[in-house]
């Protein structure tokens, strides 16, 4: 995939912010507590999107600044969290002063950034000894209907958006990794909307997107674990990496 295609994918969320906010998962508190030091005061939530992680950080008591490039995603965040300062910016250029935060989080987005430039920017805005954490929610493919849903949603997708060691470079200690298991209650009807929030589908021609979404409806209507049920639990793992500024 070319850099232009990747940039287009990264920017695609602007077109589906409300759908994203309605269906994408939050993050479990144990994963958030592992990712941010208890004695931190100011936290930068990078690529904050509609504020899914921001909301948990605020609920757990940290003072949070959110940075997010998409105007539409930031508007959703501000609607949910009007007291949080939400600034336009990227992981590569946050616009924050030097040494201004104790911790940085970036959820479901490290695969969209340029790692060397983002690492340098995070090192610049962190106070001495500060911590950065990258988090991803990953659906548990061992559940049959999840594997089938994923096959439909990623059919023809050439971009790998899964979790990975964030490769932060020499300014940081070697990353530690941890996994947290949990489940998100979701209406079966929203499995279609959740699919529509994926960047691969957002950018497909409408007829191809509708054909895949119709397959999701078919899955919901026929799979023995989904058929006739109003609510299900989507099994997730939250994969987290954290590292300290040396
Ligand atoms: C999958 S969403 C994750 C949003 C939020 N962190 C969450 O967990 O729900 C990815 C977000 O990354 C943002 N993004 C894309 N490229 C970025 C970059 N270079 N720097 C910062 N954010 C970026 C997109 O606008 C989008 O809001």
């Amino acid at each position: 995939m070319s850099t232009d295609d990747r940039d287009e994918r990264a920017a695609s969320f602007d077109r589906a912010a409300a759908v994203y906010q309605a269906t994408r998962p939050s993050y479990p508190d144990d994963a958030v507590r592992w990712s941010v030091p208890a004695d931190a005061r100011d936290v930068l939530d990078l690529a904050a999107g509609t504020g899914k992680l921001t909301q948990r950080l605020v609920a757990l008591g940290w003072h949070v600044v959110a940075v997010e490039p998409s105007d539409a995603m930031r508007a959703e965040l501000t609607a949910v969290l009007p007291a949080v300062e939400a600034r336009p910016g990227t992981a590569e250029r946050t616009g924050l002063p030097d040494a201004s935060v104790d911790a940085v989080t970036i959820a479901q987005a490290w695969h969209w950034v340029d790692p060397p430039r983002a690492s340098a920017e995070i090192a610049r805005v962190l106070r001495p000894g500060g911590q950065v954490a990258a988090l991803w929610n990953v659906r548990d493919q061992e559940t049959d209907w999840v594997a089938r849903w994923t096959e439909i949603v990623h059919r023809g997708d050439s971009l790998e958006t899964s979790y990975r060691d964030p490769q932060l470079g020499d300014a940081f200690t070697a990353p530690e990794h941890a996994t947290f298991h949990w489940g998100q209650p979701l209406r079966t009807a929203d499995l279609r909307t959740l699919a529509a929030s994926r960047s691969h589908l957002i950018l497909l021609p409408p007829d191809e997107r509708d054909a895949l979404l119709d397959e999701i409806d078919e899955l919901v209507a026929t799979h023995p674990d989904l058929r006739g049920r109003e609510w299900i639990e989507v099994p997730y793992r939250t994969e987290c990496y954290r590292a300290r500024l040396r």
Side-chain angles (χ1 to χ4, degrees):
M1 171 170 276
S2 71
T3 307
D4 283 354
D5 288 346
R6 177 178 286 272
D7 288 350
E8 192 189 12
R9 285 283 291 271
S12 68
F13 297 101
D14 208 54
R15 303 194 209 164
V19 165
Y20 192 104
Q21 174 58 15
T23 53
R24 285 290 190 106
S26 179
Y27 297 88
D29 285 353
D30 50 357
V32 182
R33 286 203 181 89
W34 186 87
S35 299
V36 180
D39 61 355
R41 189 184 62 209
D42 302 308
V43 179
L44 164 60
D45 189 24
L46 260 183
T50 63
K52 296 272 172 189
L53 177 60
T54 320
Q55 195 168 25
R56 298 317 310 148
L57 291 164
V58 169
L60 292 173
W62 286 290
H63 172 256
V64 186
V65 177
V67 166
E68 160 61 41
S70 154
D71 294 342
M73 295 291 264
R74 259 192 346 275
E76 293 283 340
L77 186 153
T78 299
V80 177
L81 298 166
V84 170
E85 182 188 356
R87 304 167 63 126
T90 63
E92 296 82 1
R93 186 179 291 209
T94 63
L96 263 60
D98 291 356
S100 53
V101 294
D102 304 302
V104 174
T105 52
I106 177 162
Q108 215 75 20
W110 189 258
H111 49 278
W112 300 125
V113 310
D114 178 69
R117 289 175 54 220
S119 295
E121 177 66 352
I122 291 168
R124 185 185 69 75
V125 301
L126 276 174
R127 295 183 179 125
Q131 181 166 295
V132 57
L135 299 80
W136 283 266
N137 277 323
V138 183
R139 287 176 310 281
D140 195 336
Q141 305 292 344
E142 286 180 15
T143 304
D144 184 66
W145 72 259
V146 176
R148 288 175 192 232
W149 185 95
T150 302
E151 185 280 315
I152 297 167
V153 166
H154 287 287
R155 198 178 297 155
D157 188 0
S158 60
L159 181 65
E160 178 55 67
T161 59
S162 190
Y163 69 97
R164 64 181 80 138
D165 178 330
Q167 310 267 317
L168 291 158
D170 294 343
F172 291 90
T173 57
E176 295 173 75
H177 175 230
T179 303
F180 300 86
H181 294 265
W182 65 290
Q184 177 208 18
L186 194 74
R187 286 179 195 276
T188 45
D190 283 335
L191 284 169
R192 179 185 172 105
T193 324
L194 180 64
S197 80
R198 312 298 307 187
S199 58
H200 175 54
L201 265 80
I202 295 168
L203 293 177
L204 280 179
D207 55 334
E208 287 180 39
R209 178 170 55 238
D210 289 348
L212 290 182
L213 292 175
D214 288 348
E215 279 196 52
I216 297 287
D217 288 345
E218 177 74 12
L219 178 73
V220 170
T222 57
H223 194 283
D225 295 339
L226 301 176
R227 191 178 52 215
R229 295 182 65 182
E230 187 184 359
W231 287 90
I232 35 110
E233 188 161 276
V234 185
Y236 278 104
R237 303 188 324 261
T238 302
E239 301 286 354
C240 310
Y241 291 86
R242 68 182 181 191
R244 292 269 188 177
L245 193 59
R246 286 187 199 275

